[in-house]
Amino acid sequence: MRVLLISTYELGRQPFGLASPAAWLREAGHQVTQLDLARQKLDEGAVRAAELACFYLPMHTATRLALPVIARVRELNPRARLCAYGLYAPLNAERLRAAGVTAIVGGEFEGELLRLANGADETPAPLPAGHERSADGFVSLARLSFRVPDRAGLPPLGEYAQLRMTDGTLRTVGYTEASRGCKHLCRHCPVVNVYQGAFRVVQREVVLEDVRRQVAAGAGHITFGDPDFFNGPAHAMEIVRALHREFPQVTYDATIKVEHLLQHAELLPELKASGCAFVTSAVESLDDAVLARLEKGHTRADFLRAVELMRAAELPLSPTFIPFTPWTTLAVYSDLLKTLAELELVEHVAPVQLAIRLLIPAGSRLLELEEVRGWVGEFDREKLAYPWRHPDAGVDELQRQVEGVVALIGKHDTPRAEVFGAVCALVRDLSTEIPAWTPPPLAARATIPYLTEPWYC
């Protein structure tokens, strides 16, 4: 069968979510075309030839971008079967079905895509072990024997986000996944809606061979895209030890929860020694009331302790935030800025992280909270989220202004400290009640390595 795999956006990296199923499909003899529309134009010839067109939807932005592409694919090839897969496919099943998608796949999607390509319909019976079906579509939590991702036909790694080192040089970045899903149930996280506290490992040799091939293609740095690299710390450490033995010159980064940084503090020096350039951690807020509502599993004090541990290990921490929530006040936001300055973390935080507004997608666990249900409006089918307004209009206005500043001056690779200073000025202008404090002096250059594409959803 002629299968077309399409990605619209995956955080500036070469899409693992195309390369992994491509390996399965090609192994079975199917003709596969991979299109990354973040770097390539829609190939209308490939669209017209496709018998099965599959859209990878790992995130909210990718899903919104995919909707007009789905319409165009239907227009060019009304005979093709359409499938949507990835975390956000089940969450937006109703909207996707209205757009003409007939197969919705969540969780461990490779086996189901292969089954569809082999000619099965969208409603198999009986279901294999480890699979579920609901109105949201087909979700697999099966334990798969993965294939090494096949990246043939994708743009070269050099066309994707790079790692900017502290001396200003750039490294080509590869991307892989050592595990999927997550053991935790944070209210705002889309992983929870699909995996419900489960996580699945990708076999060690598959991960390492994927790394080998990307290093051969020019990668000098690897991003591990696991929702939490320390969901399985033994598995993760086996992989980075083997990576460092084979490629001691290659660096890497990973995402690890604050609570796991504390629980596995003894592993932090080894991460540093094995080539970890930095660790991303979804801190979300420094306000304990917000953290409790999000069920993040850590407190402000835990974050402060994690900063100490990471500094002791000389391992850079890159925290991410959702600074604007219905519970954020101007004082809370000002405290976030002041704390980042006091901890000397300004250069560690991508400017976009100062502007992010809480997203409430379909199926979000946030809707379990009565106060949230009282704040949100009707689901917006175009934005694929529940709209909400802050009780204090001034906070919403601040968010809009911060977003504008970040978009305007941040896109020119402006030093992070300069963007931070502009955001601090906005807060002082909007509220005379916020205690005055002096932001840090501007840094002459980046003080930690960072990816040239900001991390957001």
Side-chain angles (χ1 to χ4, degrees), residues 186-268:
C186 306
R187 283 192 187 277
H188 61 298
C189 179
V191 177
V192 173
N193 299 78
V194 173
Y195 283 89
Q196 299 294 321
F199 92 107
R200 297 289 179 259
V201 301
V202 181
Q203 288 76 25
R204 175 177 175 272
E205 282 307 315
V206 171
V207 179
L208 292 173
E209 180 58 26
D210 188 28
V211 169
R212 289 186 192 103
R213 295 183 184 184
Q214 292 184 81
V215 172
H221 178 88
I222 299 294
T223 290
F224 288 101
D226 311 40
D228 191 316
F229 201 51
F230 274 4
N231 269 318
H235 175 64
M237 295 307 297
E238 286 178 1
I239 288 172
V240 298
R241 288 165 186 152
L243 185 158
H244 188 61
R245 283 195 300 269
E246 190 168 352
F247 303 108
Q249 78 284 4
V250 172
T251 55
Y252 67 90
D253 70 272
T255 298
I256 303 176
K257 283 176 67 68
V258 168
E259 63 183 284
H260 284 167
L261 293 174
L262 302 184
Q263 291 170 3
H264 305 290
E266 76 283 358
L267 298 178
L268 301 184

Side-chain angles (χ1 to χ4, degrees), residues 29-215:
H30 298 289
Q31 300 176 45
V32 179
T33 299
Q34 304 184 69
L35 285 180
D36 180 7
L37 300 187
R39 295 294 185 270
Q40 299 169 295
K41 293 182 178 180
L42 185 67
D43 184 337
E44 295 189 356
V47 171
R48 290 190 176 95
E51 298 167 88
L52 174 64
C54 304
F55 299 84
Y56 180 49
L57 310 178
M59 51 192 294
H60 181 259
T61 299
T63 308
R64 291 188 63 184
L65 292 173
L67 288 170
V69 181
I70 292 171
R72 181 58 176 159
V73 168
R74 288 188 71 194
E75 178 185 349
L76 292 170
N77 185 355
R79 299 177 304 280
R81 297 169 71 190
L82 303 185
C83 170
Y85 67 102
L87 281 178
Y88 273 80
L91 296 184
N92 296 285
E94 180 182 353
R95 180 68 180 88
L96 292 166
R97 293 192 195 283
V101 175
T102 57
I104 309 290
V105 183
E108 307 301 276
F109 48 75
E110 287 87 349
E112 176 63 3
L113 295 186
L114 177 59
R115 196 188 63 80
L116 291 171
N118 287 341
D121 62 25
E122 289 84 358
T123 55
L127 291 175
H131 294 63
E132 300 176 0
R133 179 172 296 103
S134 68
D136 295 334
F138 186 97
V139 173
S140 169
L141 298 182
R143 299 179 187 275
L144 302 179
S145 294
F146 288 91
R147 278 61 165 174
V148 179
D150 186 341
R151 301 170 186 275
L154 288 170
L157 294 177
E159 295 187 16
Y160 290 90
Q162 306 289 288
L163 181 73
R164 185 175 296 281
M165 305 300 290
T166 56
D167 62 3
T169 59
L170 295 174
R171 287 192 182 184
T172 299
V173 177
Y175 173 88
T176 194
E177 296 176 2
S179 67
R180 291 176 175 168
C182 187
K183 292 180 177 180
H184 302 273
L185 300 173
C186 306
R187 283 192 187 277
H188 61 298
C189 179
V191 177
V192 173
N193 299 78
V194 173
Y195 283 89
Q196 299 294 321
F199 92 107
R200 297 289 179 259
V201 301
V202 181
Q203 288 76 25
R204 175 177 175 272
E205 282 307 315
V206 171
V207 179
L208 292 173
E209 180 58 26
D210 188 28
V211 169
R212 289 186 192 103
R213 295 183 184 184
Q214 292 184 81
V215 172

